[in-house]
Amino acid sequence: MTVTFVGLGPGDPGLLTLRGAEALGRADTVVVNRSSCPAEVLRHCRPEAEVVDADERDAVKLVLSAARDGAVVRLISGDSGLGGRAAREAAACAEEGIAFEVVPGVSAVTAVPQYAGIPLRDERTREVRVIDVADGGVDWTAAAAGEATLVVLGAEGQVSEVAKRLIAAGRKDSTPAAYTSLGSTTEQETVVTTLNRLYAESKGMDAPALIVVGDVVNWREKLSWFETKALFGWRVLVPRTKEQAADLSEQLRAYGAVPQEVPTISVEPPRTPQQMDRAIKGLVTGRYEWVVFTSVNAVKAVREKFAEYGLDARAFAGLKVAAVGDQTAASLVEFGVQPDLMPPVNQSGEGLVEIWPPYDEDLDPINRVLLPRADIATDRLISGLTELGWECDDVTAYRTVRAAPPPQPIREAIKGGGFDAVLFTSSSTVKNLIGIAGKPHNVTVIAVIGPQTAKTAEEYGLRVDVMAEKPAISDLAVALAEYGAKRRAAQIEAGEPLRKPSQMRRGARKKRFT
């Protein structure tokens, strides 16, 4: 019986400590206030772990009850060592004779100012005071004395009172002050002002919030790194499954975006498996000279068939393997197969045909090519290879069917302009997204992977704003980030408030220029 109190950190799930993630990976039960816990944190839990929501229940009773059955992790917002909740619950464990340990979390006191680009100390300011004003009882004279940096917690709803008290206690009304709401999250917003203007400038901002008072606030102009990311706070729709979108979503997060993955197709096995069974047997017995993979899903389908037959990558010995693009090639390499042929620029079926060698009966002992593909694949690749003298076995390796519509709030956000951008990675994602969720609002930035996808988008009445330099998913994310950076720079140059595309629609809340 052990309870581990783990600090969640200030909001960014990436700030969970390694020790905290390790504890989650061992826990039998996790007690958490779900309303304040990023979903990404719970991905560190074992699949069989029980996650108990303490939002409207007695957390102490939940922790003590779970501790009798195994290892428990109690997730605490912020730093588990700074808040009273962890202390009270740990004391209850001690009274019951239950062993516990504490894994500190990254504190909002230091993290949020750093995410706002404000160091708490510099060469001139050497002292930092932390003041929690939530429950009153503050010695304002002691707090305001000298030139120490002040970090004020719990000031939501009483910003005016805090500012007045500090000025009355001796701080100049022109002292720099910063108010940061929802710190370290992609909803973070910071206002830099002076103590006498703090209430007026921060009015209407979200909670939780943190105030920094002192000359160190002036560093923000040079050190702001988080809120200045190219796609900071952009809600980006990624019409792919979570499995397919993992790398793309991670890349978007690095640019400050909030990706929302919405599957537009569902990948299913062929209705009759016999065709794939014959193809795999032919691959092993030497029926083919080449195998062409046109998607990651095709690689996955062949891997699954190999597993059924007890085969591995060695079955490709003596075969030549072609991949249509970087993502497919990477999937093959992960399987243990190095592609022999891949288009360097035009990564498509047409691009593959452009570099494909013509059949030569003196050099090629076999003239047959295996193409394990989707049931809706186009014939351009096959016709191109046929013209070069090759015989093609076009085999249905998987079926693509339209996915179920996303939840109503997502559909409303798509049509109502709640998303800042949509990434279309193929023509089918355009057709299927519009089919299951509706047409994106005209303020939404439309980013496409290549000319064919752009053509389809325009046929459906969409304005294409961004197109990848190369038809690769990673290049599409880069292109969107470059677009976002140029857009931000233009707003700053024009002296306009920084507004995301979704804030351009009628009735949207304007973001302050800071």
Side-chain angles (χ1 to χ4, degrees):
M1 296 191 301
T2 304
V3 177
T4 304
F5 292 91
V6 175
L8 277 169
D12 182 350
L15 293 182
L16 180 71
T17 65
L18 291 173
R19 182 72 181 87
E22 179 186 327
L24 282 172
R26 294 197 317 264
D28 299 304
T29 305
V30 177
V31 180
V32 58
N33 294 76
R34 278 189 178 270
S35 61
S36 59
C37 177
E40 293 89 342
V41 169
L42 297 179
R43 293 176 185 171
H44 295 285
C45 300
R46 295 183 300 128
E48 59 270 24
E50 181 183 7
V51 179
V52 180
D53 188 359
D55 269 336
E56 298 180 2
R57 303 166 68 183
D58 188 326
V60 173
K61 290 182 179 179
L62 292 174
V63 168
L64 295 179
S65 175
R68 298 186 183 97
D69 299 321
V72 178
V73 164
R74 171 66 169 123
L75 288 172
I76 302 289
S77 296
D79 180 1
S80 52
L82 283 181
R85 180 190 297 172
R88 290 191 297 271
E89 295 178 18
C93 290
E95 290 175 6
E96 294 292 325
I98 297 172
F100 67 89
E101 59 182 62
V102 177
V103 177
V106 175
S107 173
V109 171
T110 54
V112 171
Q114 289 183 68
Y115 270 62
I118 301 172
L120 296 182
R121 298 187 303 164
D122 58 16
E123 292 179 354
R124 294 180 56 206
T125 306
R126 310 301 296 171
E127 184 181 355
V128 179
R129 295 186 193 130
V130 180
I131 308 167
D132 189 341
V133 302
D135 298 321
V138 177
D139 184 343
W140 292 105
T141 300
E147 301 295 324
T149 298
L150 306 182
V151 179
V152 184
L153 308 174
E156 298 89 347
Q158 50 181 322
V159 177
S160 178
E161 180 70 12
V162 168
K164 289 178 181 178
R165 291 279 191 171
L166 288 173
I167 293 171
R171 283 289 170 120
K172 295 179 181 178
D173 58 7
S174 59
T175 302
Y179 184 105
T180 299
S181 65
L182 302 173
S184 83
T185 75
T186 48
E187 297 298 317
Q188 175 176 307
E189 186 175 357
T190 301
V191 163
V192 172
T193 181
T194 54
L195 204 51
N196 63 330
R197 292 287 303 161
L198 184 61
Y199 172 69
E201 295 290 338
S202 64
K203 195 172 182 179
M205 290 177 67
D206 294 318
L210 177 147
I211 299 171
V212 178
V213 179
D215 290 340
V216 293
V217 170
N218 293 326
W219 282 100
R220 174 174 162 81
E221 186 176 349
K222 293 181 178 179
L223 299 185
S224 180
W225 62 273
F226 187 53
E227 293 170 62
T228 54
K229 288 189 173 186
L231 300 176
F232 181 77
W234 282 38
R235 191 180 178 194
V236 179
L237 180 65
V238 182
R240 296 166 67 82
T241 64
K242 286 186 179 296
E243 184 179 77
Q244 291 174 318
D247 291 342
L248 175 57
S249 293
E250 191 61 34
Q251 190 175 1
L252 290 170
R253 288 189 189 97
Y255 293 126
V258 184
Q260 175 75 58
E261 295 146 357
V262 175
T264 58
I265 62 170
S266 176
V267 177
E268 298 181 2
R271 286 192 173 87
T272 56
Q274 291 82 357
Q275 192 181 31
M276 267 293 280
D277 290 335
R278 288 194 297 269
I280 298 301
K281 290 176 182 176
L283 185 151
V284 174
T285 57
R287 174 178 172 81
Y288 303 106
E289 176 81 2
W290 283 91
V291 181
V292 180
F293 289 96
T294 57
S295 70
V296 171
N297 285 326
V299 177
K300 181 181 178 182
V302 170
R303 288 189 69 168
E304 289 174 351
K305 271 297 175 186
F306 271 31
E308 286 182 26
Y309 285 100
L311 300 171
D312 57 28
R314 289 172 293 185
F316 286 98
L319 282 165
K320 296 174 184 175
V321 178
V324 77
D326 293 329
Q327 301 294 323
T328 304
S331 182
L332 281 167
V333 171
E334 183 185 348
F335 186 22
V337 179
Q338 184 66 46
D340 300 286
L341 190 67
M342 185 181 74
V345 180
N346 182 13
Q347 297 190 337
S348 62
E350 293 87 341
L352 199 54
V353 170
E354 289 172 5
I355 62 170
W356 195 278
Y359 172 68
D360 187 324
E361 60 181 12
D362 295 324
L363 299 176
D364 301 305
I366 304 168
N367 76 331
R368 194 171 294 276
V369 179
L370 171 63
L371 288 91
R373 304 193 298 167
D375 56 332
I376 59 171
T378 64
D379 294 330
R380 294 175 185 173
L381 178 56
I382 291 178
S383 61
L385 296 181
T386 301
E387 290 177 6
L388 291 169
W390 297 91
E391 292 186 26
C392 299
D393 280 1
D394 186 15
V395 175
T396 299
Y398 60 94
R399 291 184 300 123
T400 56
V401 298
R402 181 175 288 179
Q408 184 177 353
I410 293 179
R411 298 200 303 272
E412 291 176 351
I414 291 171
K415 292 182 286 188
F419 284 100
D420 297 289
V422 178
L423 299 186
F424 287 117
T425 56
S426 66
S427 292
S428 64
T429 59
V430 178
K431 300 173 185 176
N432 289 335
L433 181 69
I434 293 175
I436 65 176
K439 184 178 173 182
H441 194 280
N442 59 12
V443 301
T444 305
V445 174
I446 304 299
V448 300
I449 201 166
Q452 187 58 48
T453 306
K455 180 181 178 182
T456 303
E458 289 166 352
E459 288 173 352
Y460 277 80
L462 298 178
R463 177 199 68 251
V464 175
D465 303 292
V466 179
M467 186 166 69
E469 187 175 328
K470 293 194 304 181
I473 291 173
S474 59
D475 287 81
L476 179 56
V478 170
L480 181 62
E482 290 175 347
Y483 176 90
K486 290 177 181 177
R487 187 178 185 278
R488 176 187 173 86
Q491 289 178 333
I492 292 174
E493 185 177 352
E496 299 174 351
L498 295 177
R499 300 176 69 189
K500 299 180 294 185
S502 60
Q503 293 172 320
M504 302 300 289
R505 70 191 194 280
R506 184 176 299 175
R509 175 171 172 262
K510 295 183 180 180
K511 188 175 178 67
R512 297 167 174 79
F513 178 73
T514 58

